Amino acid sequence: QMRLLGVLCVLLVPLRCGAFCRASRPPPEVLNLQSGWKCIVHCGACCYLQPSEREGLEDFLTDEEMKTLTSMVRPDGWCKHFDFSTRSCSIYDDRPQFCRVDKDRYVQSFQIEPDDFADFAADCCAQSIDDVYGESSDVMVRFEAAQEALEVVLVPTPGRLIPEGDSA
C-alpha cells in the first residue's frame, strides 16, 4: 500500500515530480522550494507517467485530468513533453495542474496534515527517483543533498550559514 501511495502522490507532485525547468529558466540545482521540500532540476522521475503502474489514479484525478494524462503518455510510459536530453519539461510554465505541487491539494487528496506536506512530498520524490533511476543513482544523491541542505538556516547576517539548532 505504501508503494501505491508513493506512485500516486508522485504523479500529483508536479511533473516532479512537476518540477523541471525549461532551459530558459535560471534555476541552479533546486527548482522548487516549498515549506522545507526541494525539487531538483534535471531529474524527471515524475515524468514517467505509465498509468498501468499507477493503480487508483482515477480516485485522485478528475475525468478530464485522466484524459489529459492519458493523452500525454508515450508508448514507453514517459510524458511526451519530457525532454530526455535536458531532463526537463518542454511545457513547464503551461503544464497541467496535476503536474504541480499544491499543498492544499495534497492535504485534501492524501488526508495529510498541512505540517506534514514537506516530508510527504520529499518521500514521494525519493520513491519516484528510486523507482526510475535507482537508490544509488546520481539523481538520488543530488536529491538527498538538496534535502539535507534544508537543515541549514540562513540567518540575517550576509554570507553566514548556521546549522539548525546552533546559536548565532
Side-chain angles (χ1 to χ4, degrees):
Q1 185 175 9
M2 184 59 174
R3 174 160 167 60
L4 172 61
L5 180 61
V7 168
L8 291 174
C9 69
V10 161
L11 180 63
L12 294 178
V13 170
L15 302 175
R16 104 237 137 357
C17 185
F20 317 120
C21 73
R22 183 181 288 196
S24 62
R25 296 186 108 198
E29 182 64 21
V30 176
L31 176 62
N32 191 350
L33 172 59
Q34 295 187 34
S35 309
W37 164 77
K38 287 184 179 181
C39 177
I40 60 170
V41 297
H42 311 298
C43 172
C46 60
C47 289
Y48 183 73
L49 304 177
Q50 188 61 278
S52 65
E53 295 182 24
R54 296 178 187 274
E55 250 179 73
L57 197 54
E58 59 280 350
D59 296 335
F60 295 92
L61 299 179
T62 66
D63 290 343
E64 190 62 34
E65 288 174 322
M66 281 299 296
K67 286 180 191 175
T68 300
L69 172 73
T70 304
S71 74
M72 292 170 58
V73 181
R74 296 186 330 207
D76 63 1
W78 286 90
C79 178
K80 68 182 181 181
H81 301 292
F82 181 64
D83 181 337
F84 285 93
S85 64
T86 61
R87 286 189 186 173
S88 65
C89 177
S90 64
I91 63 163
Y92 184 81
D93 291 333
D94 300 317
R95 68 197 187 281
Q97 189 62 39
F98 60 79
C99 293
R100 300 167 187 263
V101 174
D102 180 77
K103 183 176 182 176
D104 293 334
R105 185 172 184 170
Y106 275 54
V107 167
Q108 181 181 1
S109 295
F110 299 108
Q111 300 173 4
I112 60 172
E113 293 297 320
D115 290 345
D116 294 334
F117 167 74
D119 289 337
F120 186 79
D123 289 345
C124 290
C125 286
Q127 184 169 358
S128 183
I129 292 168
D130 182 29
D131 289 346
V132 173
Y133 299 115
E135 73 177 283
S136 300
S137 66
D138 67 316
V139 176
M140 183 65 84
V141 169
R142 291 188 302 109
F143 177 74
E144 288 173 348
Q147 303 316 303
E148 289 171 14
L150 290 173
E151 295 173 10
V152 175
V153 177
L154 182 61
V155 295
T157 308
R160 188 160 174 230
L161 296 176
I162 298 179
E164 201 169 5
D166 288 359
S167 58

